Amino acid sequence: LLVRATERYREVAVRLAIGASRGHVIRGIAAESLLLALGGTLLGRGLAAAGVAVVRSLLPGDMPRVSAVHVDLRVLLVCAAVGLLVGAVTLLPALTATRTSPSEALRATRGDASMRSGVRLRGAIVSGEIALALVLVVGAGLMVKTLWRLSSVDPGFQSARVLTFRLQPSAPRSSGEAYQYFTRVLDEVAALPGVQSTGGIHHLPMSGYNWWADIDVEGRPLAAGESPTRAGWRIIAGDYLRTMGIPLISGRAFSARDDGNNERVMLINDVLAKRLFAGEDPIGRRLRAGNATRGHWVRIIGVTRGVRHQALEQSPDPEMYFPLAQVGMSFLNIVMRTTLDPLALAEPTRRAVRALDASVPIADMRALSTVVQESTARQRLVLRLLAAFAGVGLLLAVIGVYGVVAFGVTQRRHEIGIRTALGARRQSIIGMVLRHGLKHALIGLAVGVPAAIALARTMRGVVYDLSTSDPLTYVAVVLILLMAVGLASWIPARRAASVDPVSVLKD
């Protein structure tokens, strides 16, 4: 609207010259601008209402208060005010034009300052659109690369073809009774067709839950001021390690003899082994770890590979594993490795568990691969939102470039006709128009790249194994924008090259 109002400089001068008052001209332009602004605001209100459903679908299902997402009245009023302000801003060129003498405005040529200001204004608006689009597309590009890298991360376990569900008996049970119940469940589901192995753990990897404990090493008291090593601890049952595909590096796994009648034993992962026993064999050493060992010294019998328990983007933490038979637990997440689609065994598994005790609720039955995928929900949400904004920003930038270049071709139609009549080749006309569009693109990129680098620093918390100034991302985004601008400029460039010099000169 600013560009259009600027280009009506001569029209305003003609109206004033034939007797229109300054107020009459301003009211006419104001009515047109505000009508467009009001129509856009009402249309935006409808799109916002429809967009709420889209936003809810993008949010993770377990995010609190998803149903509370709505079009807030205060936000709507602010947006409506901005829309009306946009319409009011377009009056500025009209006010300037009405202060100029009609005779002076009618004598103005394309080289006059008043005409050059319209060209500069168009270029500034389009360059700004390109710069903003670049910032948004860079953000989306960083998230695409982050999710691609996370998809190739080895979590330390194998999530394919594993079914998992949670059991927590509501009636109080002693540690022995709970152990017997969970053991019977593992035996029953292991007997189902297509099940290779079963196990259990109190907190699944990638579930967002973790318990920590400070560690004491037997025969190695802490020095004054030294902080104890902290490690996450897990209670496991059945053939958990084999079911999850977690390799045993040294020592042995838990067996049936590791019960309450024998010495307390534990497994540690390689991260904790390196931290506590660098260059030493940890097998046979004893540890004490707060609530995890309940004040007892526990002997290490094996070392496992580290697992990314917290999130895919976080390296494996120090971990300890304890057998359910020696450390009681009132709830357990069951894992089942299958030869089939894990969800195909969901109903047979429910029937088998209910046959043992129908009063125990079965919760969170899903494929383990789904649990891993949901652990990247935050990154995927950011990607979807940025991609939506980037797509809109890129579309606006392309439309802006096309509109400016096409408008410029219309204004220069007489000049292009003369150039063609004097022998200018079709390629040179197309090149001239393309350079006009690419000039705005280069200015927008020069402004947008530093802005994108500065704003991308706020994304450090959601990108993984990637610098927010990753050169490949920026190069790819710049090439995408240049191709988009080139395509937007190509259509009016072809139209310019087909201008008939004879009809132009007759006009």
Side-chain angles (χ1 to χ4, degrees):
L1 287 174
L2 278 170
V3 170
R4 190 163 178 266
T6 303
E7 294 303 327
R8 295 174 68 178
Y9 194 84
R10 283 177 174 272
E11 176 193 334
V12 171
V14 170
R15 290 180 179 273
L16 293 174
I18 61 176
S21 67
R22 184 168 180 261
H24 179 81
V25 172
I26 293 176
R27 283 196 302 273
I29 297 177
E32 178 183 346
S33 300
L34 292 178
L35 184 62
L36 287 172
L38 181 60
T41 300
L42 294 175
L43 178 60
R45 171 63 180 87
L47 291 175
V52 165
V54 176
V55 171
R56 286 177 178 169
S57 67
L58 293 177
L59 297 175
D62 57 351
M63 178 175 285
R65 300 188 63 194
V66 171
S67 60
V69 177
H70 66 286
V71 180
D72 185 79
L73 179 60
R74 292 166 298 177
V75 175
L76 181 63
L77 291 176
V78 170
C79 292
V82 171
L84 296 175
L85 180 63
V86 168
V89 167
T90 61
L91 295 177
L92 296 178
L95 293 173
T96 303
T98 56
R99 291 196 186 98
T100 306
S101 169
S103 58
E104 179 183 340
L106 292 172
R107 287 197 304 268
T109 64
R110 186 166 300 280
D112 290 338
S114 59
M115 297 302 165
R116 290 196 302 269
S117 65
V119 176
R120 287 195 296 268
L121 179 61
R122 290 198 306 271
I125 291 174
V126 172
S127 297
E129 287 179 335
I130 293 173
L132 292 174
L134 184 139
V135 172
L136 293 169
V137 177
V138 162
L142 290 173
M143 291 312 302
V144 167
K145 202 163 184 179
T146 288
L147 286 175
W148 176 74
R149 293 199 174 189
L150 285 176
S151 67
S152 61
V153 167
D154 181 6
F157 58 89
Q158 299 173 11
S159 61
R161 297 196 308 277
V162 174
L163 181 69
T164 177
F165 59 94
R166 177 185 172 93
L167 294 177
Q168 184 168 4
S170 54
R173 304 189 184 198
S174 65
S175 297
E177 291 173 339
Y179 170 71
Q180 292 176 3
Y181 169 73
F182 291 131
T183 301
R184 290 171 59 200
V185 169
L186 292 175
D187 292 339
E188 288 294 325
V189 297
L192 294 175
V195 177
Q196 292 179 315
S197 62
T198 61
I201 187 171
H202 76 291
H203 285 155
L204 276 174
M206 306 293 166
S207 64
Y209 297 100
N210 200 5
W211 287 353
W212 296 89
D214 293 336
I215 297 175
D216 293 322
V217 181
E218 187 180 36
R220 190 190 297 173
L222 292 175
E226 182 183 359
S227 299
T229 298
R230 286 177 61 81
W233 59 282
R234 330 269 177 244
I235 300 171
I236 62 176
D239 203 356
Y240 174 78
L241 295 180
R242 186 166 73 93
T243 303
M244 293 290 287
I246 302 174
L248 190 68
I249 298 175
S250 63
R252 69 173 179 87
F254 297 135
S255 65
R257 68 175 181 270
D258 298 318
D259 56 18
N261 299 320
N262 292 293
E263 181 185 24
R264 292 176 178 268
V265 293
M266 65 186 297
L267 303 173
I268 63 173
N269 70 353
D270 53 353
V271 179
L272 183 58
K274 291 176 183 177
R275 188 165 300 182
L276 294 179
F277 307 103
E280 303 177 35
D281 184 6
I283 305 299
R285 302 294 295 270
R286 296 205 305 174
L287 304 179
R288 188 166 54 190
N291 289 335
T293 60
R294 292 169 173 79
H296 299 283
W297 290 103
V298 181
R299 193 173 302 280
I300 300 171
I301 62 170
V303 178
T304 70
R305 184 185 175 191
V307 169
R308 293 176 184 257
H309 186 88
Q310 297 286 90
L312 286 176
E313 64 267 27
Q314 294 186 20
S315 300
D317 294 311
E319 288 182 321
M320 303 174 290
Y321 295 94
F322 302 94
L324 179 64
Q326 293 184 343
V327 183
M329 182 54 58
S330 60
F331 65 91
L332 205 66
N333 286 282
I334 307 298
V335 290
M336 305 162 48
R337 179 160 296 279
T338 70
T339 57
L340 312 170
D341 177 2
L343 295 181
L345 288 172
E347 194 53 38
T349 300
R350 290 181 189 276
R351 288 197 298 266
V353 173
R354 286 170 180 161
L356 290 175
D357 191 338
S359 68
V360 178
I362 303 172
D364 297 331
M365 182 171 284
R366 51 188 172 166
L368 184 60
S369 57
T370 303
V371 178
V372 176
Q373 184 183 19
E374 289 177 353
S375 70
T376 60
R378 181 175 61 145
Q379 288 87 349
R380 287 185 286 111
L381 173 61
V382 174
L383 170 61
R384 289 171 179 172
L385 293 176
L386 278 176
F389 292 134
V392 172
L394 184 59
L395 178 63
L396 289 176
V398 168
I399 292 174
V401 170
Y402 171 80
V404 165
V405 175
F407 195 79
V409 167
T410 301
Q411 283 194 314
R412 301 176 67 180
R413 186 168 179 271
H414 187 258
E415 172 196 339
I416 293 171
I418 293 177
R419 286 177 179 270
T420 305
L422 294 177
R425 293 180 300 172
R426 176 183 175 88
Q427 292 81 358
S428 64
I429 298 296
I430 292 177
M432 178 185 70
V433 177
L434 287 177
R435 284 193 297 273
H436 180 58
L438 292 176
K439 179 183 71 175
H440 299 308
L442 293 176
I443 295 173
L445 294 175
V447 175
V449 168
I453 293 175
L455 293 177
R457 292 174 183 171
T458 63
M459 298 178 61
R460 288 176 178 170
V462 291
V463 298
Y464 167 72
D465 193 25
L466 185 67
S467 169
T468 53
S469 56
D470 177 58
L472 292 179
T473 300
Y474 284 82
V475 169
V477 170
V478 166
L479 291 177
I480 289 173
L481 281 171
L482 287 177
M483 286 189 293
V485 169
L487 179 63
S489 303
W490 174 255
I491 299 174
R494 288 189 59 189
R495 188 165 67 246
S498 62
V499 167
D500 180 17
V502 175
S503 62
V504 170
L505 294 176
K506 282 183 178 179
D507 290 341

